[in-house]
Amino acid sequence: MEEILQQLPQKAKDTHTENKKFFAKLKKRPPKHLDSLMQELHDAEFERTDCLSCANCCKTTGPLFTNKDVERISKHFRMKPQQFIQTYLQVDEDNDYVLQSVPCTFLGADNYCSIYDVRPKACSEFPHTDRKKFQQISNLTLKNVAICPAAFNIVEEMKRRVTQ
């Protein structure tokens, strides 16, 4: 996995222009079966991919925390929401709650998440490759292929399967 993660940023960079053009076309004319195809590709990739052997998303990026996330997680810690925010979060330039530091505070040395059952929605949905109307999140996907080997593989397979 280490070798894959070392090569991923360059592979993502090498395919960025091609992916950007592909997503622009996809946005204009998404195929009728895109949602079901994405679900199929997502499921197949995550049959092969063990996130615990990677955890690159947790090591290199931080999720956005919604107010619902803050409520749920602070309750889990038996903290007041404001205390949770002060302890773990900061407000970014878009006025969103994000972690104070990366890698994620809640990531263990074994790549397990200590708040997995109450983790933020952004974490539970990452890398968003099984999302409905997938073509609407192309900018996010372009970023995620540089972080997540599974997202990279899903996009590469999608390009092979979807003819524009």
Side-chain angles (χ1 to χ4, degrees):
M1 183 54 73
E2 282 305 310
E3 190 178 327
I4 291 169
L5 291 176
Q6 284 176 350
Q7 295 170 355
L8 189 61
Q10 187 59 51
K11 287 171 77 174
K13 194 175 179 182
D14 292 347
T15 60
H16 183 80
T17 303
E18 176 188 317
N19 288 348
K20 206 169 177 175
K21 286 178 186 173
F22 176 80
F23 283 128
K25 287 180 183 177
L26 197 65
K27 225 177 207 174
K28 287 180 187 167
R29 296 193 55 214
K32 287 186 174 78
H33 68 289
L34 185 61
D35 287 348
S36 61
L37 173 64
M38 291 312 298
Q39 187 67 56
E40 177 190 328
L41 296 176
H42 176 91
D43 292 347
E45 183 60 34
F46 282 99
E47 287 287 317
R48 296 184 294 271
T49 301
D50 175 20
C51 292
L52 290 174
S53 70
C54 180
N56 199 43
C57 51
C58 307
K59 293 173 183 173
T60 62
T61 64
L64 296 181
F65 286 72
T66 65
N67 289 329
K68 282 185 178 179
D69 293 332
V70 170
E71 292 285 331
R72 184 178 60 257
I73 300 166
S74 61
K75 187 177 177 182
H76 170 79
F77 283 121
R78 294 183 171 88
M79 297 171 100
K80 295 205 177 309
Q82 200 52 43
Q83 184 186 4
F84 175 79
I85 290 166
Q86 288 173 340
T87 305
Y88 298 105
L89 306 180
Q90 64 185 7
V91 176
D92 71 2
E93 62 278 355
D94 296 324
N95 223 21
D96 292 316
Y97 288 122
V98 296
L99 290 169
Q100 290 176 3
S101 63
V102 173
C104 181
T105 311
F106 307 111
L107 180 68
D110 57 1
N111 285 347
Y112 276 86
C113 174
S114 64
I115 61 166
Y116 187 81
D117 292 337
V118 294
R119 68 195 184 281
K121 183 179 179 202
C123 297
S124 65
E125 292 181 353
F126 190 85
H128 313 284
T129 47
D130 60 346
R131 199 161 168 181
K132 299 268 188 253
K133 298 185 180 173
F134 176 79
Q135 72 278 6
Q136 294 178 350
I137 59 162
S138 57
N139 288 344
L140 179 61
T141 303
L142 286 169
K143 290 177 187 170
N144 290 346
V145 297
I147 298 164
C148 176
F152 182 88
N153 293 341
I154 289 166
V155 168
E156 290 305 300
E157 183 61 24
M158 178 185 66
K159 290 188 307 192
R160 282 191 279 280
R161 298 258 210 107
V162 175
T163 52
Q164 287 291 323

